[in-house]
Amino acid sequence: MASKEIEEKLFSAEEIGKRVKELGKEIAEAYSGVKKITLLVVLKGAFMFSADLVRAVHSAGGPEAEVEFVKASSYGNETSSSGNVNVELKPDLKGKHVLIVEDIVDSGRTLKKMKEIVAEEAESVKIVALLDKKERREVEIDADFVGFEIPNKFVVGYGIDYAQKFRDLPYIAVVKE
Ligand code: IMP
Ligand code: MG
């Protein structure tokens, strides 16, 4: 059973919900004057976060929002990314105000690559990450909006997996490795 491998709960569903609402307000404010933005959701980890976030931006009176998806994978071991980031699915982002929606910034390699690709076409690029492991950063990249800073532990839940497991948890927890 999945729960046996959970070590510690980090953020409850309520805490996440509250923070995502706040992020919606921050984002709505940052884009005031902008008519439309495009959320570019990085699959699979950010799927749940993006579903809540897009509604939070709407409720906060933010800009109209389109939603697009990309799939990023990096070849490396299971718990850290190698830097060889592969990006699949390339929506047309020409002239758009793109908000990249990511689950976790770790080494920063995935987001750095993603931002470079998006910046080639988009009118503007910003990043929102639900979680930020700041101390793990290996390349220079920062999210414009961050849900929570977390310590260097492997986390799951609320869309985030370990070997495809635990995405369904409504909370975020640390797993035993
Ligand atoms: P980065 O390129 O090293 O910043 O890796 C970021 C990606 O690694 C995230 O989008 C996640 O997919 C994955 N990742 C990093 N830390 C964790 C974790 O604690 N749990 C699950 N996936 C993680
Ligand atoms: Mg990811």
Side-chain angles (χ1 to χ4, degrees), residues 27-119:
I27 290 164
E29 230 163 78
Y31 283 104
S32 74
V34 173
K35 194 167 173 286
K36 186 166 79 179
I37 61 172
T38 301
L39 268 66
L40 183 65
V41 182
V42 183
L43 293 171
K44 299 176 189 170
F47 85 95
M48 202 177 281
F49 175 43
S50 66
D52 288 337
L53 187 69
V54 73
R55 286 176 285 183
V57 172
H58 178 90
S59 298
E64 189 185 313
E66 291 179 348
V67 184
E68 296 284 359
F69 298 91
V70 278
K71 191 156 186 343
S73 43
S74 62
Y75 303 104
N77 63 44
E78 284 181 325
T79 56
S80 74
S81 82
S82 61
N84 292 320
V85 181
N86 181 41
V87 179
E88 297 167 54
L89 302 179
K90 301 226 174 73
D92 181 14
L93 301 171
K94 217 163 286 150
K96 303 203 163 171
H97 293 284
V98 176
L99 177 63
I100 299 173
V101 184
E102 174 66 302
D103 54 357
I104 304 176
V105 202
D106 188 34
S107 74
R109 293 183 195 285
T110 305
L111 269 179
K112 189 160 196 243
K113 178 80 186 287
M114 192 73 74
K115 194 174 181 181
E116 281 167 10
I117 294 170
V118 173

